[in-house]
Amino acid sequence: MEVSESWIRKQATKLQLSIKEAAEFIGKGQQYVRVGLQEGRLKFGTAVPKFKDENEKEARRRAGKRNWDYDIQRVHVERYVGISYRKFLELKYVVVA
């Protein structure tokens, strides 16, 4: 896929990444990222259930991907991966002038 330099620059300065973007960046599946954030195993973001339930175990059992909000900070993922998001995008896409 060919993209422009301005598109890469815009994407690389985003403060937050989506589940899909983070998964591609770390080289894992989207479900891996969702579950890792929900269980606190991945430290580059947080997952917060959209509902309030005193019994957290029951709440987690009922939860699906639409029942969670994710906060994934680009700079934290960059530290986790060891390269900048911009560099990742440049390696992934063909840049056209």
XYZ file of all heavy atoms in Angstrom:
809
model
N 0.847 -1.177 0.000
C 0.000 0.000 0.000
C 0.887 1.233 0.000
O 1.836 1.311 0.760
C -0.898 -0.032 1.236
C -1.778 1.157 1.397
S -2.836 0.910 2.837
C -3.602 2.475 2.886
N 0.547 2.174 -0.825
C 1.309 3.411 -0.897
C 0.603 4.494 -0.097
O -0.610 4.637 -0.177
C 1.462 3.863 -2.348
C 2.285 2.919 -3.185
C 2.436 3.400 -4.613
O 1.827 4.413 -4.985
O 3.173 2.751 -5.354
N 1.380 5.224 0.674
C 0.840 6.327 1.469
C 1.760 7.527 1.328
O 2.930 7.396 0.968
C 0.681 5.951 2.958
C -0.303 4.812 3.140
C 2.009 5.600 3.582
N 1.240 8.680 1.676
C 2.045 9.895 1.583
C 2.805 10.129 2.885
O 2.436 9.626 3.956
C 1.159 11.098 1.284
O 0.321 11.374 2.391
N 3.845 10.912 2.779
C 4.641 11.285 3.957
C 3.777 12.045 4.967
O 3.914 11.858 6.171
C 5.839 12.142 3.529
C 6.706 12.629 4.665
C 7.445 11.521 5.400
O 7.749 10.500 4.783
O 7.706 11.693 6.610
N 2.876 12.888 4.475
C 2.012 13.651 5.388
C 1.065 12.729 6.162
O 0.770 12.977 7.332
C 1.229 14.727 4.639
O 0.353 14.145 3.707
N 0.590 11.640 5.527
C -0.265 10.691 6.228
C 0.513 10.012 7.354
O 0.002 9.866 8.468
C -0.813 9.644 5.255
C -1.732 8.662 5.919
C -3.065 8.813 6.154
C -1.371 7.382 6.463
N -3.558 7.703 6.795
C -2.542 6.808 7.005
C -0.185 6.670 6.545
C -2.555 5.560 7.610
C -0.199 5.429 7.147
C -1.370 4.879 7.677
N 1.735 9.596 7.067
C 2.569 8.966 8.098
C 2.832 9.946 9.234
O 2.735 9.595 10.408
C 3.884 8.425 7.503
C 3.574 7.159 6.705
C 4.921 8.144 8.596
C 4.767 6.471 6.112
N 3.150 11.186 8.902
C 3.422 12.195 9.927
C 2.197 12.390 10.821
O 2.303 12.456 12.045
C 3.833 13.510 9.251
C 4.324 14.559 10.186
C 4.916 15.799 9.513
N 4.255 16.216 8.275
C 4.747 16.029 7.052
N 5.902 15.435 6.869
N 4.089 16.447 5.990
N 1.016 12.443 10.205
C -0.223 12.618 10.976
C -0.476 11.419 11.887
O -0.810 11.570 13.058
C -1.398 12.820 10.018
C -2.711 13.046 10.717
C -3.833 13.259 9.722
C -5.156 13.411 10.435
N -6.267 13.558 9.505
N -0.335 10.204 11.351
C -0.558 8.995 12.144
C 0.452 8.874 13.284
O 0.121 8.431 14.377
C -0.477 7.749 11.253
C -1.571 7.654 10.217
C -2.946 7.594 10.844
O -3.207 6.788 11.734
N -3.822 8.472 10.399
N 1.693 9.247 13.018
C 2.772 9.081 13.999
C 2.687 10.063 15.153
O 3.368 9.884 16.157
C 4.124 9.207 13.302
N 1.853 11.089 15.029
C 1.728 12.058 16.120
C 0.448 11.870 16.929
O 0.178 12.649 17.841
C 1.788 13.501 15.573
O 0.751 13.672 14.616
C 3.141 13.796 14.958
N -0.330 10.832 16.594
C -1.531 10.554 17.379
C -1.137 10.236 18.813
O -0.125 9.591 19.054
C -2.279 9.360 16.795
C -2.905 9.631 15.467
C -3.448 8.404 14.771
C -4.159 7.412 15.605
N -4.800 6.338 14.834
N -1.939 10.693 19.750
C -1.644 10.418 21.158
C -2.079 9.019 21.565
O -1.450 8.388 22.409
C -2.311 11.455 22.051
C -1.829 12.891 21.863
C -2.608 13.831 22.771
C -0.342 12.989 22.125
N -3.168 8.535 20.984
C -3.691 7.216 21.342
C -3.773 6.330 20.112
O -3.969 6.805 19.000
C -5.076 7.337 21.965
C -5.075 8.046 23.297
C -6.437 7.986 23.950
O -7.452 8.101 23.285
N -6.448 7.772 25.244
N -3.628 5.028 20.358
C -3.760 4.038 19.296
C -5.016 3.212 19.543
O -5.425 3.003 20.690
C -2.548 3.108 19.267
C -1.192 3.739 18.998
C -0.101 2.672 19.040
C -1.176 4.472 17.672
N -5.592 2.724 18.467
C -6.722 1.806 18.587
C -6.186 0.411 18.908
O -4.974 0.154 18.820
C -7.504 1.762 17.271
O -6.711 1.165 16.259
N -7.088 -0.483 19.266
C -6.698 -1.877 19.503
C -6.016 -2.435 18.249
O -4.967 -3.078 18.323
C -7.924 -2.737 19.868
C -8.448 -2.362 21.250
C -7.608 -4.223 19.786
C -7.577 -2.795 22.405
N -6.603 -2.176 17.083
C -6.057 -2.682 15.824
C -4.650 -2.145 15.574
O -3.739 -2.900 15.222
C -6.980 -2.308 14.664
C -6.502 -2.801 13.326
C -7.461 -2.413 12.216
C -6.926 -2.895 10.886
N -7.809 -2.517 9.788
N -4.459 -0.843 15.756
C -3.143 -0.234 15.530
C -2.100 -0.779 16.501
O -0.977 -1.103 16.111
C -3.242 1.289 15.663
C -4.036 1.942 14.570
C -4.413 3.377 14.867
O -4.551 3.740 16.061
O -4.584 4.146 13.905
N -2.477 -0.891 17.776
C -1.546 -1.406 18.777
C -1.172 -2.853 18.481
O -0.001 -3.239 18.599
C -2.151 -1.288 20.174
N -2.150 -3.659 18.081
C -1.887 -5.066 17.768
C -0.920 -5.192 16.595
O 0.029 -5.982 16.641
C -3.196 -5.790 17.468
N -1.140 -4.419 15.547
C -0.229 -4.452 14.399
C 1.169 -3.999 14.806
O 2.165 -4.583 14.378
C -0.761 -3.557 13.277
C -1.980 -4.107 12.590
C -2.556 -3.159 11.551
O -2.063 -2.013 11.418
O -3.501 -3.558 10.862
N 1.240 -2.966 15.637
C 2.519 -2.409 16.063
C 3.339 -3.413 16.874
O 4.542 -3.550 16.676
C 2.266 -1.123 16.855
C 3.473 -0.280 17.140
C 4.667 -0.418 16.448
C 3.414 0.699 18.108
C 5.769 0.379 16.716
C 4.500 1.513 18.384
C 5.682 1.349 17.685
N 2.683 -4.153 17.765
C 3.441 -5.106 18.588
C 3.536 -6.488 17.941
O 4.203 -7.375 18.468
C 2.876 -5.226 20.018
C 1.510 -5.904 20.030
C 2.837 -3.884 20.711
C 1.026 -6.265 21.423
N 2.855 -6.672 16.822
C 2.940 -7.945 16.104
C 2.116 -9.061 16.711
O 2.471 -10.240 16.616
N 1.019 -8.719 17.333
C 0.111 -9.707 17.938
C -1.295 -9.482 17.426
O -1.581 -8.501 16.752
C 0.116 -9.573 19.475
C 1.460 -9.838 20.112
C 1.795 -11.301 20.058
C 3.095 -11.585 20.812
N 3.442 -12.981 20.778
N -2.213 -10.357 17.785
C -3.605 -10.224 17.394
C -4.350 -9.236 18.277
O -3.929 -8.915 19.390
N -5.487 -8.779 17.774
C -6.291 -7.821 18.525
C -6.815 -8.411 19.831
O -6.837 -7.722 20.859
C -7.453 -7.337 17.664
C -7.006 -6.513 16.472
C -8.159 -6.044 15.627
O -9.232 -5.720 16.133
N -7.962 -6.025 14.318
N -7.204 -9.678 19.808
C -7.713 -10.308 21.023
C -6.609 -10.410 22.085
O -6.871 -10.243 23.268
C -8.296 -11.694 20.713
C -9.010 -12.334 21.872
C -10.264 -11.572 22.301
O -10.736 -10.659 21.635
N -10.799 -11.946 23.441
N -5.395 -10.669 21.662
C -4.262 -10.721 22.583
C -4.120 -9.387 23.311
O -3.923 -9.345 24.529
C -2.983 -11.035 21.796
C -1.720 -11.047 22.626
C -1.290 -12.210 23.240
C -0.950 -9.899 22.779
C -0.130 -12.232 23.994
C 0.198 -9.908 23.531
C 0.603 -11.077 24.137
O 1.758 -11.078 24.898
N -4.240 -8.292 22.573
C -4.111 -6.963 23.174
C -5.283 -6.692 24.111
O -5.084 -6.232 25.241
C -4.000 -5.871 22.087
C -4.009 -4.482 22.711
C -2.740 -6.068 21.254
N -6.503 -7.000 23.670
C -7.675 -6.771 24.528
C -7.548 -7.505 25.861
O -7.698 -6.916 26.926
C -8.953 -7.244 23.826
C -9.514 -6.296 22.838
C -10.905 -6.765 22.377
N -11.153 -6.197 21.083
C -10.930 -6.812 19.922
N -10.478 -8.047 19.899
N -11.164 -6.201 18.796
N -7.285 -8.801 25.787
C -7.207 -9.607 27.011
C -6.012 -9.181 27.865
O -6.118 -9.087 29.088
C -7.156 -11.115 26.672
C -6.903 -11.950 27.912
C -8.454 -11.549 25.998
N -4.893 -8.907 27.219
C -3.713 -8.455 27.965
C -3.961 -7.176 28.728
O -3.507 -7.018 29.872
N -4.688 -6.242 28.137
C -5.019 -4.992 28.826
C -6.066 -5.232 29.913
O -5.963 -4.682 31.018
C -5.514 -3.942 27.830
C -4.474 -3.428 26.838
C -5.125 -2.529 25.798
C -3.343 -2.704 27.546
N -7.062 -6.060 29.617
C -8.103 -6.344 30.610
C -7.525 -7.012 31.848
O -7.941 -6.723 32.967
C -9.184 -7.240 29.999
C -10.034 -6.551 28.968
C -10.932 -7.511 28.209
O -11.075 -8.685 28.570
N -11.536 -7.024 27.139
N -6.553 -7.899 31.662
C -5.967 -8.624 32.791
C -4.763 -7.918 33.393
O -4.185 -8.402 34.356
C -5.584 -10.035 32.339
C -6.801 -10.869 31.966
C -6.453 -12.273 31.515
O -5.242 -12.577 31.346
O -7.392 -13.069 31.323
N -4.371 -6.785 32.816
C -3.252 -6.010 33.357
C -1.882 -6.584 33.014
O -0.886 -6.199 33.606
N -1.818 -7.516 32.063
C -0.533 -8.107 31.682
C 0.258 -7.210 30.740
O 1.485 -7.257 30.740
C -0.739 -9.483 31.038
C -1.170 -10.538 32.037
C -1.287 -11.920 31.404
N -2.469 -11.946 30.540
C -2.452 -12.319 29.263
N -1.342 -12.702 28.695
N -3.555 -12.324 28.554
N -0.421 -6.427 29.924
C 0.256 -5.477 29.041
C 0.217 -4.111 29.714
O -0.853 -3.585 30.023
C -0.432 -5.424 27.668
C -0.383 -6.723 26.869
C -1.177 -6.573 25.572
C 1.052 -7.117 26.563
N 1.381 -3.536 29.930
C 1.495 -2.321 30.737
C 1.461 -1.030 29.936
O 1.658 0.037 30.479
C 2.789 -2.370 31.569
C 2.912 -3.592 32.444
C 1.793 -3.671 33.450
C 1.963 -4.886 34.350
N 0.809 -5.136 35.163
N 1.198 -1.113 28.618
C 1.213 0.105 27.824
C -0.157 0.775 27.713
O -0.319 1.760 27.008
C 1.802 -0.132 26.430
C 1.157 -1.240 25.647
C -0.104 -1.102 25.101
C 1.849 -2.416 25.438
C -0.681 -2.115 24.366
C 1.290 -3.433 24.685
C 0.019 -3.282 24.153
N -1.146 0.250 28.399
C -2.467 0.856 28.364
C -3.348 0.286 29.453
O -2.906 -0.512 30.278
N -4.596 0.730 29.448
C -5.551 0.256 30.438
C -6.854 -0.148 29.751
O -7.169 0.332 28.668
C -5.874 1.337 31.493
O -6.363 2.503 30.829
C -4.648 1.683 32.316
N -7.586 -1.022 30.417
C -8.924 -1.425 29.978
C -9.858 -1.226 31.160
O -9.582 -1.698 32.262
C -8.918 -2.880 29.540
N -10.938 -0.505 30.925
C -11.889 -0.202 31.984
C -13.257 -0.718 31.569
O -13.741 -0.383 30.485
C -11.961 1.325 32.233
C -12.962 1.661 33.315
C -10.588 1.880 32.563
N -13.888 -1.543 32.424
C -15.231 -2.014 32.066
C -16.209 -0.848 32.060
O -16.108 0.070 32.877
C -15.576 -3.026 33.148
C -14.584 -2.853 34.226
C -13.425 -2.093 33.686
N -17.154 -0.871 31.131
C -18.134 0.208 31.015
C -19.266 0.084 32.033
O -20.083 0.972 32.150
C -18.741 0.214 29.608
C -17.775 0.627 28.535
C -18.486 0.628 27.198
C -17.548 0.984 26.088
N -18.204 0.953 24.776
N -19.312 -1.026 32.755
C -20.392 -1.271 33.699
C -19.834 -1.316 35.114
O -18.648 -1.476 35.311
C -21.077 -2.601 33.375
C -20.082 -3.711 33.174
C -19.558 -4.409 34.242
C -19.636 -4.023 31.896
C -18.631 -5.410 34.055
C -18.697 -5.032 31.703
C -18.200 -5.713 32.776
N -20.710 -1.157 36.084
C -20.293 -1.248 37.480
C -20.956 -2.475 38.090
O -22.159 -2.647 38.016
C -20.691 0.001 38.247
C -19.970 1.222 37.729
C -20.176 2.393 38.612
C -19.373 3.536 38.006
N -19.275 4.672 38.810
N -20.120 -3.308 38.678
C -20.618 -4.537 39.274
C -19.728 -4.853 40.470
O -18.507 -4.867 40.332
C -20.557 -5.671 38.251
C -21.267 -6.925 38.722
O -21.462 -7.104 39.931
O -21.608 -7.735 37.862
N -20.313 -5.100 41.608
C -19.513 -5.387 42.794
C -18.749 -6.696 42.664
O -17.676 -6.851 43.218
C -20.408 -5.413 44.034
C -20.931 -4.043 44.397
C -21.792 -4.061 45.638
O -21.886 -5.127 46.291
O -22.362 -3.028 45.954
N -19.299 -7.623 41.936
C -18.637 -8.905 41.763
C -17.819 -8.851 40.475
O -18.311 -9.125 39.389
C -19.671 -10.031 41.707
C -19.034 -11.394 41.656
O -17.839 -11.525 41.385
N -19.826 -12.407 41.901
N -16.540 -8.478 40.596
C -15.688 -8.283 39.415
C -15.541 -9.553 38.584
O -15.508 -9.500 37.362
C -14.317 -7.777 39.831
C -13.449 -7.449 38.647
C -12.114 -6.876 39.036
O -11.981 -6.318 40.137
O -11.192 -7.014 38.226
N -15.479 -10.678 39.231
C -15.334 -11.932 38.495
C -16.528 -12.168 37.572
O -16.380 -12.513 36.408
C -15.173 -13.094 39.480
C -14.665 -14.357 38.865
C -14.336 -15.354 39.957
C -13.488 -16.467 39.390
N -13.047 -17.404 40.394
N -17.715 -11.924 38.092
C -18.929 -12.062 37.280
C -18.948 -11.002 36.177
O -19.328 -11.283 35.043
C -20.177 -11.928 38.163
C -21.497 -11.938 37.404
C -21.758 -13.241 36.669
O -21.157 -14.275 37.002
O -22.578 -13.218 35.727
N -18.501 -9.806 36.492
C -18.463 -8.734 35.495
C -17.515 -9.097 34.358
O -17.835 -8.910 33.179
C -18.030 -7.427 36.144
N -16.350 -9.617 34.677
C -15.395 -10.023 33.644
C -15.936 -11.170 32.785
O -15.709 -11.219 31.596
C -14.066 -10.432 34.267
C -13.256 -9.258 34.751
C -11.921 -9.740 35.284
N -11.177 -8.659 35.861
C -10.293 -7.930 35.187
N -10.067 -8.180 33.929
N -9.652 -6.952 35.779
N -16.666 -12.077 33.413
C -17.240 -13.197 32.676
C -18.259 -12.703 31.649
O -18.326 -13.186 30.532
C -17.907 -14.182 33.642
C -18.387 -15.467 32.960
C -19.233 -16.320 33.873
N -20.499 -15.695 34.214
C -21.544 -15.578 33.383
N -21.466 -16.011 32.155
N -22.665 -15.012 33.787
N -19.052 -11.707 32.033
C -20.078 -11.177 31.144
C -19.508 -10.247 30.077
O -20.150 -9.979 29.078
C -21.117 -10.389 31.955
C -21.979 -11.231 32.835
C -23.096 -10.414 33.483
N -22.586 -9.383 34.379
C -22.731 -8.076 34.184
N -23.363 -7.612 33.144
N -22.257 -7.210 35.053
N -18.323 -9.744 30.308
C -17.786 -8.687 29.441
C -17.366 -9.211 28.079
O -16.724 -10.238 27.967
C -16.602 -8.018 30.121
N -17.713 -8.483 27.086
C -17.234 -8.723 25.735
C -16.460 -7.497 25.300
O -16.302 -6.550 26.063
N -15.976 -7.463 24.066
C -15.147 -6.340 23.648
C -15.909 -5.019 23.650
O -15.310 -3.971 23.788
C -14.511 -6.601 22.294
C -15.451 -6.636 21.129
C -14.683 -6.882 19.859
C -15.608 -6.850 18.659
N -14.919 -7.089 17.435
N -17.210 -5.036 23.496
C -17.979 -3.796 23.498
C -18.239 -3.271 24.900
O -18.762 -2.178 25.063
C -19.302 -3.999 22.776
C -19.112 -4.257 21.313
C -20.428 -4.298 20.577
N -20.172 -4.640 19.197
C -20.812 -5.566 18.523
N -21.771 -6.243 19.094
N -20.512 -5.824 17.276
N -17.919 -4.048 25.894
C -18.153 -3.639 27.271
C -16.915 -3.054 27.939
O -16.892 -2.868 29.138
C -18.664 -4.825 28.093
C -20.054 -5.230 27.660
O -20.859 -4.398 27.276
N -20.323 -6.514 27.696
N -15.892 -2.771 27.159
C -14.659 -2.234 27.706
C -14.243 -0.975 26.951
O -14.453 -0.862 25.755
C -13.530 -3.261 27.574
C -13.720 -4.478 28.411
C -14.453 -5.581 28.104
C -13.175 -4.721 29.704
N -14.386 -6.503 29.117
C -13.605 -5.997 30.113
C -12.353 -3.991 30.551
C -13.252 -6.546 31.339
C -11.994 -4.544 31.766
C -12.444 -5.804 32.156
N -13.650 -0.051 27.676
C -13.003 1.112 27.073
C -11.503 0.907 27.212
O -11.023 0.491 28.280
C -13.393 2.405 27.792
C -14.765 2.904 27.398
O -15.120 2.760 26.212
O -15.471 3.441 28.257
N -10.768 1.207 26.153
C -9.315 1.011 26.163
C -8.606 2.346 26.008
O -9.024 3.197 25.222
C -8.895 0.075 25.022
C -9.535 -1.287 25.138
C -10.699 -1.589 24.443
C -8.985 -2.257 25.966
C -11.294 -2.826 24.563
C -9.580 -3.503 26.091
C -10.733 -3.776 25.390
O -11.331 -5.009 25.524
N -7.558 2.530 26.774
C -6.715 3.713 26.679
C -5.304 3.219 26.383
O -4.642 2.653 27.258
C -6.748 4.505 27.990
C -5.888 5.745 27.941
O -5.661 6.280 26.833
O -5.434 6.188 29.013
N -4.873 3.416 25.151
C -3.558 2.947 24.723
C -2.751 4.154 24.256
O -3.037 4.719 23.197
C -3.673 1.908 23.586
C -4.575 0.752 24.022
C -2.296 1.420 23.166
C -4.934 -0.195 22.897
N -1.794 4.553 25.052
C -0.963 5.706 24.732
C 0.160 5.299 23.779
O 0.896 4.348 24.044
C -0.363 6.299 26.005
C -1.403 6.774 27.003
C -2.189 7.953 26.472
O -1.633 8.891 25.919
N -3.504 7.897 26.620
N 0.274 6.021 22.674
C 1.277 5.707 21.652
C 2.689 5.670 22.236
O 3.451 4.749 21.950
C 1.220 6.732 20.510
C 2.306 6.537 19.463
C 2.348 7.672 18.455
N 2.262 8.988 19.015
C 3.301 9.669 19.517
N 4.496 9.157 19.533
N 3.127 10.880 20.011
N 3.042 6.625 23.075
C 4.420 6.673 23.599
C 4.745 5.454 24.457
O 5.872 4.961 24.442
C 4.702 7.973 24.379
C 4.659 9.181 23.462
C 3.761 8.155 25.544
N 3.758 4.930 25.178
C 3.992 3.738 25.996
C 4.191 2.500 25.132
O 5.005 1.633 25.448
C 2.850 3.519 26.978
C 2.725 4.603 28.000
N 3.716 4.905 28.895
C 1.735 5.482 28.243
C 3.337 5.909 29.661
N 2.131 6.283 29.276
N 3.455 2.422 24.018
C 3.625 1.297 23.108
C 4.982 1.396 22.420
O 5.663 0.389 22.215
C 2.474 1.211 22.075
C 2.626 -0.033 21.208
C 1.124 1.200 22.764
N 5.405 2.607 22.088
C 6.727 2.798 21.483
C 7.826 2.297 22.420
O 8.764 1.623 21.987
C 6.960 4.276 21.152
C 6.149 4.765 19.988
C 6.285 6.249 19.723
O 6.579 7.012 20.683
O 6.104 6.666 18.574
N 7.696 2.596 23.702
C 8.680 2.102 24.685
C 8.646 0.581 24.766
O 9.676 -0.077 24.874
C 8.407 2.701 26.059
C 8.784 4.142 26.164
C 8.616 4.665 27.581
N 8.569 6.119 27.558
C 7.637 6.848 28.141
N 6.667 6.275 28.829
N 7.669 8.157 28.067
N 7.450 0.009 24.729
C 7.277 -1.442 24.799
C 7.929 -2.132 23.602
O 8.607 -3.145 23.749
C 5.777 -1.755 24.865
C 5.427 -3.218 24.931
C 5.420 -3.898 26.145
C 5.069 -3.922 23.784
C 5.087 -5.244 26.219
C 4.728 -5.260 23.843
C 4.738 -5.916 25.058
O 4.399 -7.248 25.122
N 7.736 -1.571 22.407
C 8.244 -2.176 21.176
C 9.718 -1.845 20.964
O 10.480 -2.674 20.461
C 7.398 -1.724 19.961
C 7.975 -2.236 18.655
C 5.965 -2.188 20.120
N 10.115 -0.640 21.320
C 11.512 -0.245 21.155
C 11.803 0.570 19.907
O 12.956 0.878 19.631
N 10.760 0.912 19.140
C 10.936 1.805 17.994
C 9.775 2.796 17.973
O 8.749 2.576 18.621
C 11.001 1.062 16.635
C 9.679 0.365 16.318
C 12.160 0.099 16.568
C 9.583 -0.150 14.889
N 9.942 3.863 17.226
C 8.871 4.852 17.135
C 7.762 4.332 16.215
O 8.003 3.512 15.322
C 9.408 6.180 16.603
O 9.734 6.062 15.233
N 6.571 4.825 16.452
C 5.432 4.452 15.606
C 5.667 4.943 14.185
O 5.312 4.268 13.224
C 4.140 5.017 16.194
C 2.885 4.473 15.567
C 2.660 3.105 15.482
C 1.902 5.320 15.072
C 1.506 2.594 14.907
C 0.742 4.825 14.505
C 0.550 3.461 14.422
O -0.595 2.948 13.858
N 6.299 6.092 14.054
C 6.612 6.636 12.726
C 7.522 5.670 11.952
O 7.286 5.372 10.794
C 7.255 8.008 12.854
C 7.592 8.612 11.518
C 8.305 9.950 11.662
N 8.556 10.499 10.359
C 8.030 11.626 9.909
N 7.227 12.319 10.657
N 8.316 12.051 8.704
N 8.566 5.167 12.622
C 9.489 4.233 11.974
C 8.744 2.961 11.557
O 8.955 2.429 10.466
C 10.648 3.908 12.919
C 11.686 3.002 12.325
C 12.435 3.696 11.217
C 13.591 2.834 10.744
N 14.247 3.412 9.579
N 7.874 2.470 12.429
C 7.064 1.293 12.115
C 6.229 1.533 10.858
O 6.189 0.695 9.957
C 6.148 0.947 13.298
C 5.060 -0.022 12.968
C 5.334 -1.363 12.780
C 3.749 0.415 12.829
C 4.318 -2.266 12.464
C 2.735 -0.473 12.520
C 3.026 -1.810 12.338
N 5.571 2.685 10.773
C 4.743 3.000 9.614
C 5.583 3.115 8.350
O 5.175 2.673 7.274
C 3.955 4.282 9.852
C 2.872 4.210 10.939
C 2.299 5.593 11.202
C 1.784 3.227 10.575
N 6.761 3.712 8.474
C 7.647 3.841 7.317
C 8.114 2.480 6.816
O 8.242 2.263 5.617
C 8.850 4.714 7.671
C 8.508 6.186 7.825
C 9.642 7.020 8.375
O 10.666 6.449 8.831
O 9.505 8.256 8.379
N 8.341 1.552 7.723
C 8.745 0.198 7.337
C 7.579 -0.589 6.746
O 7.764 -1.423 5.873
C 9.315 -0.556 8.541
C 10.640 -0.036 9.098
C 10.956 -0.713 10.420
C 11.752 -0.229 8.103
N 6.373 -0.320 7.225
C 5.198 -1.070 6.793
C 4.673 -0.610 5.425
O 4.232 -1.446 4.635
C 4.081 -0.914 7.844
C 2.839 -1.688 7.494
C 1.812 -1.577 8.593
C 0.567 -2.340 8.158
N -0.478 -2.337 9.145
N 4.723 0.667 5.180
C 4.121 1.213 3.963
C 5.191 1.771 3.018
O 6.226 2.222 3.461
C 3.126 2.337 4.303
C 1.950 1.861 5.104
C 1.857 2.164 6.459
C 0.935 1.115 4.535
C 0.762 1.736 7.211
C -0.145 0.673 5.266
C -0.228 0.992 6.600
O -1.302 0.563 7.331
N 4.832 1.780 1.739
C 5.667 2.423 0.735
C 5.301 3.897 0.718
O 4.128 4.249 0.545
C 5.426 1.807 -0.665
C 6.192 2.555 -1.730
C 5.766 0.332 -0.655
N 6.280 4.752 0.939
C 6.027 6.188 0.974
C 6.190 6.764 -0.422
O 7.196 6.530 -1.092
C 6.987 6.897 1.960
C 6.726 8.400 1.975
C 6.839 6.302 3.351
N 5.164 7.498 -0.865
C 5.243 8.162 -2.158
C 5.347 9.668 -1.937
O 4.811 10.205 -0.974
C 3.996 7.852 -3.039
C 3.994 6.400 -3.440
C 2.719 8.235 -2.360
N 6.054 10.314 -2.817
C 6.263 11.757 -2.688
C 5.065 12.542 -3.147
O 4.198 12.138 -3.779
C 7.488 12.173 -3.489
